[in-house]
Amino acid sequence: AERAATLGAPVQVTSQAVVATSRMEPYPRTLLTGTEHIAALTERLKVYSALLCEVVCATTAARDVVTANLVTDAMGAAEKLGW
């Protein structure tokens, strides 16, 4: 959000705005085992990484190399967690 605001983009950072625009499925409240939680977290990390990849493509197309690099680092970290 801070980077987007610096670049002049409108930023909606309330919890309501995040929930309303999220492409992430809500975390299940019925999981019981560690294996179920790991599977749910891994699936969300995959979605998160894919969304970050979209941002890298968009920022690269916009020739915003600094933002693309920052998001690429975040994407790498998320993918490592998913392993």
Side-chain angles (χ1 to χ4, degrees), residues 2-70:
E2 185 176 324
R3 179 85 179 139
T6 300
L7 295 172
V11 180
Q12 297 290 324
V13 293
T14 65
S15 59
Q16 294 86 354
V18 171
V19 169
T21 60
S22 178
R23 292 192 265 169
M24 191 87 56
E25 290 293 320
Y27 195 82
R29 296 181 181 193
T30 58
L31 303 180
L32 298 175
T33 68
T35 303
E36 290 173 323
H37 284 287
I38 289 171
L41 289 169
T42 300
E43 183 58 36
R44 279 151 184 80
L45 284 168
K46 288 179 189 176
V47 171
Y48 179 61
S49 292
L51 294 171
L52 289 175
C53 186
E54 290 177 20
V55 174
V56 169
C57 291
T59 54
T60 300
R63 299 175 194 245
D64 183 353
V65 179
V66 173
T67 301
N69 188 42
L70 291 170

